[in-house]
């Protein structure tokens, strides 16, 4: 796994050894090549919607000599997959709502999948909400910091998620439970985002802005309390 950056290495770490994996939106195919070389995956279907990344992936897979174990296909979301073909679906580097849309469109492929490993670039709370309302439980999460940026990686498995609290789903119930080393910094960043949105809303007099401000003020109080408990190591 040594050639992977911390984000991709953390994604790989959430894939059970020997899995049959699909990497949706693979681009460079760095992850599939590493997964088969390290034995994490017995085979990978690597897909991409666009011609240029599809060609880049094909080239990298051939160059790495793993074309017997990594098949590159071009197509939208899970559409290039046949039901029952893979155990684990990875989607990394897209927005959380785009990922939810991709998953929503292919229930017949998802029916045979035992784990999703998702690394949303935005809106992780919306993605968690979609997961828990679509028959997935939050099995594990990682918080990675690389080059000054935070990355969240969510592993979900079929089942009932006990957490249904919108605020907790926004910040990540598993991240809180695991108390990652970067958790306080990450929560402070979210708190800063809440404060910025609140000061924008304060300039508006509309009823909608008032309602949003009330909801956000409550979230601000909750996140302040969570940060204080994290600092005391009492989460
Ligand atoms: C930012 S790159 C992420 C690459 C890689 N997964 C990673 O995390 O390093 C996003 C890739 O997703 C592809 N993509 C975007 N929408 C897609 C879709 N609906 N289905 C398949 N691939 C898609 C893009 O062409 C692009 O190569």
């Amino acid at each position: 796994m040594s050639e992977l950056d911390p984000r991709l290495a953390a994604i790989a770490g959430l894939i059970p050894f020997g899995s049959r994996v699909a990497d949706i939106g693979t681009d460079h195919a760095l992850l599939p090549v590493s997964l088969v070389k390290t034995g994490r995956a017995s085979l990978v279907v690597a897909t991409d919607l666009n011609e240029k990344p599809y060609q880049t992936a094909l080239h990298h897979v051939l160059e790495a000599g793993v074309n017997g174990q990594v098949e590159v296909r071009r197509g939208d979301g899970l559409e290039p997959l046949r039901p029952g073909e893979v155990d684990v679906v990875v989607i990394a580097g897209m927005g959380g709502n785009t990922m939810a849309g991709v998953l929503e469109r292919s229930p017949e492929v998802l029916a045979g999948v035992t784990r999703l490993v998702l690394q949303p670039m935005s809106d992780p709370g919306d993605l968690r909400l979609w997961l828990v309302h679509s028959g997935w439980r939050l099995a594990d999460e990682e918080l990675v910091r690389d080059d000054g940026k935070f990355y969240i990686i969510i592993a979900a498995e079929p089942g009932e998620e006990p957490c249904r609290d919108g605020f907790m789903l926004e910040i990540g119930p598993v991240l809180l439970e695991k108390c990652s080393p970067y958790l306080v910094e990450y929560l402070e960043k979210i708190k800063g985002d809440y404060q910025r949105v609140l000061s924008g809303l304060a300039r508006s007099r509309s009823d909608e802005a008032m309602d949003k401000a009330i909801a956000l003020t409550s979230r601000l109080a909750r996140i302040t309390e969570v940060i204080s408990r994290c600092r005391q190591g009492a989460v």
Side-chain angles (χ1 to χ4, degrees), residues 38-65:
T38 55
R40 274 267 167 199
S42 56
L43 65 88
V44 182
V45 181
T47 79
D48 209 287
L49 177 64
N50 296 303
E51 181 63 18
K52 194 161 174 261
Y54 166 74
Q55 291 296 341
T56 308
L58 269 181
H59 179 78
H60 185 208
V61 165
L62 276 174
E63 193 182 54

mmCIF file of all heavy atoms in Angstrom, residues 38-65:
data_model
loop_
_atom_site.group_PDB
_atom_site.id
_atom_site.type_symbol
_atom_site.label_atom_id
_atom_site.label_comp_id
_atom_site.label_asym_id
_atom_site.label_seq_id
_atom_site.Cartn_x
_atom_site.Cartn_y
_atom_site.Cartn_z
ATOM 1 N N THR A 38 -1.607 -5.917 -3.382
ATOM 2 C CA THR A 38 -1.435 -6.212 -1.952
ATOM 3 C C THR A 38 -2.324 -7.368 -1.491
ATOM 4 O O THR A 38 -2.276 -7.733 -0.309
ATOM 5 C CB THR A 38 -1.782 -4.969 -1.110
ATOM 6 O OG1 THR A 38 -3.097 -4.543 -1.464
ATOM 7 C CG2 THR A 38 -0.800 -3.830 -1.342
ATOM 8 N N GLY A 39 -3.195 -7.875 -2.386
ATOM 9 C CA GLY A 39 -4.072 -8.977 -2.008
ATOM 10 C C GLY A 39 -5.337 -8.532 -1.294
ATOM 11 O O GLY A 39 -6.146 -9.356 -0.862
ATOM 12 N N ARG A 40 -5.519 -7.226 -1.136
ATOM 13 C CA ARG A 40 -6.764 -6.723 -0.532
ATOM 14 C C ARG A 40 -7.952 -7.147 -1.381
ATOM 15 O O ARG A 40 -9.022 -7.433 -0.872
ATOM 16 C CB ARG A 40 -6.768 -5.199 -0.516
ATOM 17 C CG ARG A 40 -6.132 -4.553 0.620
ATOM 18 C CD ARG A 40 -7.101 -4.234 1.750
ATOM 19 N NE ARG A 40 -6.304 -3.895 2.898
ATOM 20 C CZ ARG A 40 -6.717 -3.906 4.132
ATOM 21 N NH1 ARG A 40 -7.958 -4.239 4.414
ATOM 22 N NH2 ARG A 40 -5.918 -3.603 5.112
ATOM 23 N N ALA A 41 -7.735 -7.097 -2.727
ATOM 24 C CA ALA A 41 -8.813 -7.476 -3.639
ATOM 25 C C ALA A 41 -8.366 -8.658 -4.476
ATOM 26 O O ALA A 41 -7.212 -8.727 -4.907
ATOM 27 C CB ALA A 41 -9.149 -6.302 -4.557
ATOM 28 N N SER A 42 -9.309 -9.601 -4.705
ATOM 29 C CA SER A 42 -8.981 -10.720 -5.600
ATOM 30 C C SER A 42 -9.189 -10.273 -7.043
ATOM 31 O O SER A 42 -8.521 -10.757 -7.946
ATOM 32 C CB SER A 42 -9.855 -11.934 -5.270
ATOM 33 O OG SER A 42 -11.215 -11.575 -5.352
ATOM 34 N N LEU A 43 -10.124 -9.354 -7.250
ATOM 35 C CA LEU A 43 -10.342 -8.748 -8.570
ATOM 36 C C LEU A 43 -10.981 -7.383 -8.362
ATOM 37 O O LEU A 43 -11.625 -7.140 -7.339
ATOM 38 C CB LEU A 43 -11.231 -9.630 -9.451
ATOM 39 C CG LEU A 43 -12.682 -9.858 -9.030
ATOM 40 C CD1 LEU A 43 -13.619 -8.795 -9.569
ATOM 41 C CD2 LEU A 43 -13.149 -11.222 -9.494
ATOM 42 N N VAL A 44 -10.771 -6.488 -9.327
ATOM 43 C CA VAL A 44 -11.400 -5.159 -9.271
ATOM 44 C C VAL A 44 -12.006 -4.835 -10.627
ATOM 45 O O VAL A 44 -11.379 -5.053 -11.670
ATOM 46 C CB VAL A 44 -10.379 -4.040 -8.903
ATOM 47 C CG1 VAL A 44 -11.091 -2.677 -8.805
ATOM 48 C CG2 VAL A 44 -9.658 -4.334 -7.596
ATOM 49 N N VAL A 45 -13.241 -4.327 -10.605
ATOM 50 C CA VAL A 45 -13.823 -3.703 -11.792
ATOM 51 C C VAL A 45 -13.669 -2.206 -11.579
ATOM 52 O O VAL A 45 -14.206 -1.650 -10.618
ATOM 53 C CB VAL A 45 -15.308 -4.077 -11.974
ATOM 54 C CG1 VAL A 45 -15.859 -3.415 -13.240
ATOM 55 C CG2 VAL A 45 -15.492 -5.591 -12.024
ATOM 56 N N ALA A 46 -12.878 -1.562 -12.438
ATOM 57 C CA ALA A 46 -12.598 -0.135 -12.307
ATOM 58 C C ALA A 46 -13.373 0.594 -13.394
ATOM 59 O O ALA A 46 -13.211 0.281 -14.575
ATOM 60 C CB ALA A 46 -11.104 0.123 -12.460
ATOM 61 N N THR A 47 -14.243 1.526 -13.001
ATOM 62 C CA THR A 47 -15.083 2.184 -14.008
ATOM 63 C C THR A 47 -14.861 3.685 -14.016
ATOM 64 O O THR A 47 -14.481 4.274 -13.005
ATOM 65 C CB THR A 47 -16.589 1.940 -13.744
ATOM 66 O OG1 THR A 47 -17.018 2.816 -12.702
ATOM 67 C CG2 THR A 47 -16.879 0.503 -13.361
ATOM 68 N N ASP A 48 -15.129 4.291 -15.156
ATOM 69 C CA ASP A 48 -15.175 5.752 -15.212
ATOM 70 C C ASP A 48 -16.142 6.183 -16.311
ATOM 71 O O ASP A 48 -16.277 5.517 -17.335
ATOM 72 C CB ASP A 48 -13.786 6.370 -15.448
ATOM 73 C CG ASP A 48 -13.699 7.757 -14.831
ATOM 74 O OD1 ASP A 48 -14.308 8.699 -15.397
ATOM 75 O OD2 ASP A 48 -13.068 7.916 -13.770
ATOM 76 N N LEU A 49 -16.789 7.318 -16.054
ATOM 77 C CA LEU A 49 -17.777 7.857 -16.989
ATOM 78 C C LEU A 49 -17.112 8.476 -18.213
ATOM 79 O O LEU A 49 -17.649 8.419 -19.322
ATOM 80 C CB LEU A 49 -18.592 8.936 -16.232
ATOM 81 C CG LEU A 49 -19.650 9.715 -16.993
ATOM 82 C CD1 LEU A 49 -20.760 8.784 -17.479
ATOM 83 C CD2 LEU A 49 -20.251 10.797 -16.096
ATOM 84 N N ASN A 50 -15.946 9.042 -18.006
ATOM 85 C CA ASN A 50 -15.339 9.884 -19.048
ATOM 86 C C ASN A 50 -14.182 9.199 -19.773
ATOM 87 O O ASN A 50 -13.440 8.409 -19.175
ATOM 88 C CB ASN A 50 -14.880 11.214 -18.428
ATOM 89 C CG ASN A 50 -16.091 11.998 -17.913
ATOM 90 O OD1 ASN A 50 -17.005 12.289 -18.665
ATOM 91 N ND2 ASN A 50 -16.114 12.286 -16.608
ATOM 92 N N GLU A 51 -14.032 9.552 -21.066
ATOM 93 C CA GLU A 51 -13.071 8.879 -21.940
ATOM 94 C C GLU A 51 -11.619 9.038 -21.453
ATOM 95 O O GLU A 51 -10.864 8.069 -21.418
ATOM 96 C CB GLU A 51 -13.226 9.412 -23.379
ATOM 97 C CG GLU A 51 -12.308 8.777 -24.402
ATOM 98 C CD GLU A 51 -12.529 7.273 -24.604
ATOM 99 O OE1 GLU A 51 -13.597 6.759 -24.226
ATOM 100 O OE2 GLU A 51 -11.612 6.607 -25.130
ATOM 101 N N LYS A 52 -11.252 10.289 -21.073
ATOM 102 C CA LYS A 52 -9.840 10.523 -20.746
ATOM 103 C C LYS A 52 -9.408 9.708 -19.505
ATOM 104 O O LYS A 52 -8.409 8.967 -19.571
ATOM 105 C CB LYS A 52 -9.586 12.024 -20.566
ATOM 106 C CG LYS A 52 -8.122 12.376 -20.570
ATOM 107 C CD LYS A 52 -7.896 13.854 -20.860
ATOM 108 C CE LYS A 52 -6.422 14.192 -20.705
ATOM 109 N NZ LYS A 52 -6.130 14.797 -19.412
ATOM 110 N N PRO A 53 -10.162 9.806 -18.381
ATOM 111 C CA PRO A 53 -9.768 8.970 -17.243
ATOM 112 C C PRO A 53 -9.872 7.475 -17.525
ATOM 113 O O PRO A 53 -9.062 6.683 -17.018
ATOM 114 C CB PRO A 53 -10.735 9.387 -16.118
ATOM 115 C CG PRO A 53 -11.742 10.281 -16.724
ATOM 116 C CD PRO A 53 -11.222 10.769 -18.023
ATOM 117 N N TYR A 54 -10.844 7.079 -18.361
ATOM 118 C CA TYR A 54 -10.971 5.660 -18.739
ATOM 119 C C TYR A 54 -9.686 5.191 -19.427
ATOM 120 O O TYR A 54 -9.131 4.133 -19.099
ATOM 121 C CB TYR A 54 -12.193 5.497 -19.649
ATOM 122 C CG TYR A 54 -12.274 4.189 -20.376
ATOM 123 C CD1 TYR A 54 -12.623 3.008 -19.714
ATOM 124 C CD2 TYR A 54 -11.996 4.108 -21.747
ATOM 125 C CE1 TYR A 54 -12.690 1.801 -20.393
ATOM 126 C CE2 TYR A 54 -12.059 2.905 -22.432
ATOM 127 C CZ TYR A 54 -12.406 1.756 -21.751
ATOM 128 O OH TYR A 54 -12.464 0.558 -22.424
ATOM 129 N N GLN A 55 -9.172 6.022 -20.350
ATOM 130 C CA GLN A 55 -7.930 5.681 -21.062
ATOM 131 C C GLN A 55 -6.739 5.678 -20.098
ATOM 132 O O GLN A 55 -5.867 4.812 -20.176
ATOM 133 C CB GLN A 55 -7.667 6.679 -22.208
ATOM 134 C CG GLN A 55 -8.645 6.569 -23.364
ATOM 135 C CD GLN A 55 -8.570 5.225 -24.099
ATOM 136 O OE1 GLN A 55 -7.576 4.492 -24.003
ATOM 137 N NE2 GLN A 55 -9.631 4.881 -24.815
ATOM 138 N N THR A 56 -6.718 6.656 -19.178
ATOM 139 C CA THR A 56 -5.622 6.718 -18.193
ATOM 140 C C THR A 56 -5.619 5.440 -17.343
ATOM 141 O O THR A 56 -4.566 4.850 -17.076
ATOM 142 C CB THR A 56 -5.803 7.953 -17.262
ATOM 143 O OG1 THR A 56 -5.966 9.099 -18.060
ATOM 144 C CG2 THR A 56 -4.642 8.130 -16.315
ATOM 145 N N ALA A 57 -6.812 5.023 -16.926
ATOM 146 C CA ALA A 57 -6.932 3.814 -16.095
ATOM 147 C C ALA A 57 -6.462 2.581 -16.866
ATOM 148 O O ALA A 57 -5.660 1.774 -16.352
ATOM 149 C CB ALA A 57 -8.381 3.650 -15.634
ATOM 150 N N LEU A 58 -6.919 2.457 -18.121
ATOM 151 C CA LEU A 58 -6.513 1.314 -18.956
ATOM 152 C C LEU A 58 -4.993 1.241 -19.054
ATOM 153 O O LEU A 58 -4.383 0.177 -18.870
ATOM 154 C CB LEU A 58 -7.063 1.506 -20.373
ATOM 155 C CG LEU A 58 -8.420 0.932 -20.721
ATOM 156 C CD1 LEU A 58 -8.731 1.228 -22.188
ATOM 157 C CD2 LEU A 58 -8.477 -0.570 -20.463
ATOM 158 N N HIS A 59 -4.385 2.406 -19.326
ATOM 159 C CA HIS A 59 -2.936 2.489 -19.505
ATOM 160 C C HIS A 59 -2.206 2.069 -18.212
ATOM 161 O O HIS A 59 -1.278 1.256 -18.243
ATOM 162 C CB HIS A 59 -2.577 3.928 -19.893
ATOM 163 C CG HIS A 59 -1.114 4.146 -20.070
ATOM 164 N ND1 HIS A 59 -0.447 3.749 -21.208
ATOM 165 C CD2 HIS A 59 -0.180 4.684 -19.250
ATOM 166 C CE1 HIS A 59 0.832 4.032 -21.075
ATOM 167 N NE2 HIS A 59 1.024 4.607 -19.894
ATOM 168 N N HIS A 60 -2.673 2.587 -17.071
ATOM 169 C CA HIS A 60 -1.993 2.298 -15.803
ATOM 170 C C HIS A 60 -2.098 0.807 -15.429
ATOM 171 O O HIS A 60 -1.139 0.195 -14.954
ATOM 172 C CB HIS A 60 -2.577 3.188 -14.694
ATOM 173 C CG HIS A 60 -1.857 3.051 -13.391
ATOM 174 N ND1 HIS A 60 -2.460 3.258 -12.173
ATOM 175 C CD2 HIS A 60 -0.582 2.699 -13.105
ATOM 176 C CE1 HIS A 60 -1.583 3.045 -11.212
ATOM 177 N NE2 HIS A 60 -0.444 2.706 -11.738
ATOM 178 N N VAL A 61 -3.277 0.243 -15.701
ATOM 179 C CA VAL A 61 -3.508 -1.175 -15.365
ATOM 180 C C VAL A 61 -2.607 -2.079 -16.221
ATOM 181 O O VAL A 61 -1.980 -3.029 -15.714
ATOM 182 C CB VAL A 61 -5.011 -1.513 -15.557
ATOM 183 C CG1 VAL A 61 -5.262 -3.009 -15.577
ATOM 184 C CG2 VAL A 61 -5.825 -0.847 -14.450
ATOM 185 N N LEU A 62 -2.492 -1.742 -17.511
ATOM 186 C CA LEU A 62 -1.624 -2.521 -18.409
ATOM 187 C C LEU A 62 -0.165 -2.388 -17.995
ATOM 188 O O LEU A 62 0.567 -3.375 -17.889
ATOM 189 C CB LEU A 62 -1.783 -2.026 -19.850
ATOM 190 C CG LEU A 62 -2.955 -2.606 -20.628
ATOM 191 C CD1 LEU A 62 -3.093 -1.922 -21.982
ATOM 192 C CD2 LEU A 62 -2.771 -4.121 -20.812
ATOM 193 N N GLU A 63 0.227 -1.137 -17.715
ATOM 194 C CA GLU A 63 1.618 -0.846 -17.337
ATOM 195 C C GLU A 63 2.002 -1.582 -16.043
ATOM 196 O O GLU A 63 3.124 -2.061 -15.892
ATOM 197 C CB GLU A 63 1.727 0.666 -17.126
ATOM 198 C CG GLU A 63 3.133 1.212 -17.025
ATOM 199 C CD GLU A 63 3.068 2.713 -16.768
ATOM 200 O OE1 GLU A 63 2.402 3.133 -15.807
ATOM 201 O OE2 GLU A 63 3.676 3.447 -17.534
ATOM 202 N N ALA A 64 1.032 -1.682 -15.120
ATOM 203 C CA ALA A 64 1.304 -2.357 -13.837
ATOM 204 C C ALA A 64 1.243 -3.879 -13.972
ATOM 205 O O ALA A 64 1.558 -4.609 -13.022
ATOM 206 C CB ALA A 64 0.294 -1.877 -12.788
ATOM 207 N N GLY A 65 0.791 -4.363 -15.138
ATOM 208 C CA GLY A 65 0.744 -5.813 -15.379
ATOM 209 C C GLY A 65 -0.333 -6.524 -14.580
ATOM 210 O O GLY A 65 -0.197 -7.699 -14.238
#
